[in-house]
Structure formats: C-alpha cells, structure tokens
Amino acid sequence: AAFEPPQAPQLTQMVLDSDSPKEQSVRVVVRVRPMNEKENKANTLPVVTGSTEKREVTLIRGVGQRQIRQVYHFDSVYTSYSTQCEVFETVRPLVHEVMQGFEATVFAYGQTGTGKTHTMEGEIVCEEKKGIIPRAVEAIFESLGEKGKYVSSAVSASYLEIYNEELSDLLTEAADERGVYNGRSSHADGAPKLSLVEDKGDGKRRGKGVYAHNLSEHEVCSAADVLGLIARAQERRRVGETRMNKHSSRSHCVFTLTVTTRETTSEGMTMESTGKLHLVDLAGSECAKTAAGSAAGGGSGAHAAHDARERERKNINQSLLTLGRVISTLRDAGGKDKARIPYRDSKLTRLLQESLGGRCKTVVIATLSPSQLAVEESASTLSYVEKAQGITNKPVATSFLKVGTGAAPAARGEGEAAGSMQDWNALLTRMKYLEEQAAEAEAALARKHTQQAEIVARAEEAEAARDTAVADLAAMTAEAERLRSAFDETEAERRGLAYVLRATRLTEEALAAQAASLVGSLEASGASTASVHAALRGAAESEAAQAARLEDG
C-alpha cells in the first residue's frame, strides 16, 4: 500500500522511543551512617564498615572464633565521612536523563533510624545538609535555566504517601490538621479518594503505567516553589517515636517531578520531551522486639496508640517483605516472565512496578547502621539490595519530534500536497542517514575504545617501568647514603690517625732533643770525672811518695 504523509493542518509527531530499548541494571548505592550518641554512650560495637574507594561493605557477625566476615560489593559506597553533596553526585546523571525524556526512580531502603529520610530529604534550609530531593530540584531548574537551550518548559510536582496501605496526597489542603495516629483516610474530609490505576496504552499511544488516580499535580516555576511544597509535605507526613528512632517515618512517600521541555533542532523541527523523576523515601523496616515503641502509662489512650503503632509496623514490614519478594523473583526470573512477579501484593510494589524490571532508570540507596544491635537488619538489607543489582530495566524516553507549526491554510492545492510529500520523503531520508551515521559512530567508538585500551595497556606498562625505576632509584639512593656514611666514618678515622701521627712526631722530636742534651751532659760529666780521677791519682801518688820517704827516713 502507498505510504501517505501527514496532511496539514495536523501536527506530525514521531515518537523517538526505541522498539527494543537497551537493558540497564538497577544501580545500588550503600550508605553507612556514623554511630549515634546513644550507641556511643552504650559502647556498642560497630560491625558494619564501608570503603568508598573499594566500593565494598564489610559485615561482621558472631563473636570470638565464630566471627564471620562478609564482604559485599556495590556500584557506590558512602560512609560517615561522605557528604550529602557526594551522595547526590551518584544521582545527578539521572537528572540529565530526565531532561532527555526518561523516567527515573531513586528510592532509599533500610532499617528505621539508618538515615533514609536524611539522605532523601535532609534539612532543606541548610545548604550543607540538603538531601537528594532538594538538590535534584535545584539541578533540574538549573538545567532549565540554560540560556537558549529550551523554547519552553513546564514542571509539576506531586507528593504521595502510603500509610497502612492507604493513599494520601500530601500537597492538598485536605491533608492538613490530621493526627499522627488518628487513622483518618485521605478522603475523610471530602477530598477525592486516591486509587492506583494502570494505563497500558494502545497501539497508537504508550500507556502511563501504574499511577495514582486523583493525585494532585502542582505547577512550579522555581526551585523555591518546590522546596516550599516539600516543607509543607514534611509537616503532614506521619512520623512517630520508636526505640530505634525518635522521629521514625511511619509511611512510604513518593515525590514526583514531571518535566516537559521543548527545544528546536538545527533542522527547524521541535523536539518535545517529557521526563519524570520519582524520589521515594520508604518507611524503615522494624523488628518487633527492638523497634516497637513502648506505650506510656496504662490508660486506654496509650494502649490504643500502641496498637496503632503495632498496626503500622506490621503494614510497613509486610510491604517491605513484598518488595523483597519482588526483588528476589525478578533476580531469579531474569526479567523473562513478569506475569509471576508479585507486584500486586502491595500498593508500594505496584507503584514501583516500572522502577523494578520496567522502563525506568533506577537507583537504590540502601542505608545501614554500623551498630551490632542492628546486625541482623543490616544483613537483611544487604541481601535485598545485592539481589537488586541483578535486576535489569529497559529505560524508554518519551520524546516527540514535531514537524510543522501546527497551523495551515483552510485550502490546499496540489502543489502544497506535493511539497508536503517531498518534505516528508526528505525527512525520512534524513532519518535514514542519521541512523547510518549513528551506526558508523558506534563502529568508530568501538575502534576508539580498542585504541584507548591499547593506550591504557601501554600506560600501565610505562607506569610499571616507572615504578621499577623508582624502586631502583630508591635502592641506589640508599646505597649512596650507606657509602657516604662509610666515607664519613673512614674520613673521621683518617683524621684521627693523622692527629696521632703528628703528635707522635712532635713527641719524638722533643725526646730526641732531650736525648741530645743528656748526651752532652754525660760527655761533660765524663770529662770532669776523668780530671777528678787524674787529680786523685796524682794525690794518691804524692801520698805514696811521701809515705815512702818517711819510711826511708
């Protein structure tokens, strides 16, 4: 059959979704909070550690010789030294993809009191402590503010709460003035009841998937508008005190930003994209023995409050267990048979259907306590998110390429029809060319990757050679230092010997002079002795002669 181009005044739209989108694994990020004041005072043993550089988490179970160390590896790991800004950098790429028309989800999972709400929301009035939600909002409006990039844009926000398997709109006036544990439904005061509806679409239109019917959407014009809505929703969200957390979130919350942009291509066509960013703060999993609040007093009011909290705990744990089953089933099934995935077992998992095994780009942030008191909950959390790493989604962007201005004269002649056909054929030709260029670009990129791998290999060899040379230089330097030390010792010894020799020579010279003087003295003494001997002989001879004469006379 002959192909007929679109006829004016209709607006031509071509959905740029891929028929077979590329699979993308769910990214898992783990954040280990620091020990809190209560744990430090109790001298609690920290048994969970993380390494940002190695991207691993170590869990120690047992004591003494029965101690077992388990190491888990994830896409990113953050510790008590990591800042809110550093954690957000993991999510920042999703903002760019939302601007391209993709649907993205970030949700925090973990035991109560491990910092999920701090990570997702933080303190919106403090720049340093802002969480992912306010930072993502600011990044989106910063991108929309780029001069000349977008012809027009629109942003809307919604905030859904799931409390005891009931849906509530946190941005409607009807949500005000409700008690923390009063059990009122979201429609008790006349507000429209919320319900989950699945829009599968048809052959001409892609469905919206599972969404909350009657959930209000509020148009926002700046990051300040959104932060104001978040602040208002935070005041309405149900929180309560447990033994594990003084301000424990008692409900699951889903904050959604819908971003619609229009930009003009270099060919004069209009590209319209609609992206969504879902930011989910889950209620914390709780153990009945360690996390249940204690009912104050013995009155009926305290007992009723305790019962309400116990009901909350059971509903929270039930929905999180269902989430765990969905994750396990998706991991085991490999995304092949979604008919058996238990999405419908809870409203939370049904709402997250597109985020787990669907068409969203998803990041899971698991929060952990380092305390030994929470080691079993930490092990369970690590096991769940480790399974989530094996889930693959098929992200699809919602983008439309619009040809024409949307307006046309009431009457069209044959020349105009022929021109329209020619323009349409030219567009198809251009699209085919772009497809071929894209294929060529992929091939060139593959070659570049090969070249880059070779360069990296050579660089590694050069680095190894450099390391060897550095080691040799260090050895030679050490040897030079040793020789210099030996030389200094020898030189000192030589100088000592020279001093001794010089002193010996001077002594010998002094002794020789003294010997010569003694010799002269001896010679003079010898001459004097000889004259004395001669005198004595003469005297003796004279005495002898005199004696002889006396005898003769």
Side-chain angles (χ1 to χ4, degrees), residues 169-183:
D169 190 340
L170 293 179
L171 297 182
T172 59
E173 297 299 327
D176 285 333
E177 304 298 332
R178 61 186 181 184
V180 174
Y181 300 109
N182 60 13

Side-chain angles (χ1 to χ4, degrees), residues 130-188:
K130 283 181 180 178
I132 288 176
I133 293 178
R135 291 179 187 272
V137 169
E138 292 174 350
I140 285 175
F141 279 97
E142 182 180 344
S143 180
L144 291 175
E146 294 181 14
K147 187 176 181 180
K149 185 173 183 180
Y150 299 107
V151 177
S152 63
S153 62
V155 182
S156 61
S158 64
Y159 217 138
L160 176 68
E161 180 186 51
I162 304 176
Y163 174 72
N164 285 341
E165 287 298 294
E166 293 183 357
L167 306 179
S168 301
D169 190 340
L170 293 179
L171 297 182
T172 59
E173 297 299 327
D176 285 333
E177 304 298 332
R178 61 186 181 184
V180 174
Y181 300 109
N182 60 13
R184 289 170 60 188
S185 66
S186 59
H187 60 286

